[in-house]
Amino acid sequence: MKLADATVFITGANRGLGLAFARAALAAGARKVYAAARDPGSIALPGVVPIALDVNNPSQVAAAAADCGDVTLVVNNAGIATTGGLLDSGSIEATQRMMETNVYGMLRVSQAFAPVLARNGGGALLTVLSVSSWLSAPVLAGYAVSKAAAWSATNGLRNELRAQGTQVLGLHVGFIDTDLTKGFDAPKLAPDFVVERAYAALEAGASEIAVDEWTQGIKRGLSNEPGIYTDYAR
């Protein structure tokens, strides 16, 4: 999937990683970039087309797919995170909220745009996942549940969209320096670096990318005996 002349639709594009995806798409020569956010007035990047979209609102998702019928690349970037362990008070409600956005919201957008991508030659679907797809720690345990489910959903979408020629890329990454990770005392990647690696993998035809060395190491450790995920508690 080449970005030059592509028509790109990005969820959660008003800040952070989504904004970086939008900037890089424009710089790479995309024909058009739809920048979607719950408040389109918060989108200030010149050159994009603001779209009102809450991924948890089925009617807004359907309207976006109907109005943006020229899309060839969908970037499922919108996501939320709440800290805490699974035994904490309120963890079930917090995990439900993250599942709604990180899994069901992503699926709503993917389902709505799948026919659009098919009509436009197949195109591609890029979903932002996490090292937490593979690894759970008490500070982000509910988030890890949602991202593990989103990883499985991404793999399922890849299987179902293969027949229409749609490339599906899952993006796994550690901490990124955005509002989502404020307060975390850990090394963080620059959003522009993550996007550069993601788009390079997309153009290379990849199905999955682990962006940083830490995430790559975690992926390798999944096949250890015992698996790296069994006793990780940081």
Side-chain angles (χ1 to χ4, degrees):
M1 171 77 196
K2 299 300 182 184
L3 280 168
D5 293 325
T7 299
V8 187
F9 186 96
I10 304 166
T11 66
N14 57 323
R15 61 181 182 174
L17 191 63
L19 179 59
F21 270 116
R23 275 198 309 261
L26 290 173
R31 183 188 307 273
K32 186 187 296 183
V33 176
Y34 294 106
R38 281 178 292 182
D39 176 13
S42 65
I43 297 169
L45 180 65
V48 302
V49 180
I51 299 291
L53 180 68
D54 179 346
V55 298
N56 296 326
N57 185 323
S59 62
Q60 279 195 340
V61 173
D67 293 341
C68 306
D70 52 349
V71 167
T72 58
L73 168 62
V74 174
V75 179
N76 281 315
N77 166 74
I80 61 173
T82 301
T83 57
L86 296 177
L87 299 181
D88 293 352
S89 175
S91 69
I92 291 177
E93 293 79 9
T95 302
Q96 286 175 327
R97 289 191 295 272
M98 287 183 280
M99 289 288 291
E100 187 65 34
T101 297
N102 299 348
V103 182
Y104 305 127
M106 179 270 287
L107 281 174
R108 285 188 193 94
V109 172
S110 301
Q111 286 181 348
F113 276 93
V116 175
L117 295 175
R119 289 194 299 270
N120 294 326
L125 189 70
L126 191 165
T127 297
V128 177
L129 300 168
S130 171
V131 69
S132 295
S133 308
W134 301 322
L135 194 68
S136 182
V139 69
L140 285 170
Y143 178 73
V145 170
S146 74
K147 285 301 185 178
W151 177 41
S152 182
T154 300
N155 294 335
L157 287 168
R158 184 181 301 110
N159 291 336
E160 294 188 35
L161 292 172
R162 185 174 290 113
Q164 70 176 41
T166 298
Q167 177 188 356
V168 176
L169 174 64
L171 168 64
H172 300 268
V173 65
F175 288 113
I176 306 170
D177 191 10
T178 67
D179 290 345
L180 200 67
T181 63
K182 279 184 177 178
F184 285 92
D185 184 16
K188 299 174 185 178
L189 301 168
D192 289 343
F193 171 77
V194 176
V195 169
E196 178 185 358
R197 293 292 307 276
Y199 279 154
L202 186 76
E203 294 205 333
S207 297
E208 188 168 81
I209 177 174
V211 170
D212 52 298
E213 291 184 5
W214 179 45
T215 302
Q216 292 164 13
I218 295 301
K219 183 178 182 181
R220 289 191 296 270
L222 295 178
S223 60
N224 290 352
E225 190 57 50
I228 195 170
Y229 50 83
T230 61
D231 58 3
Y232 189 88
R234 275 202 279 174

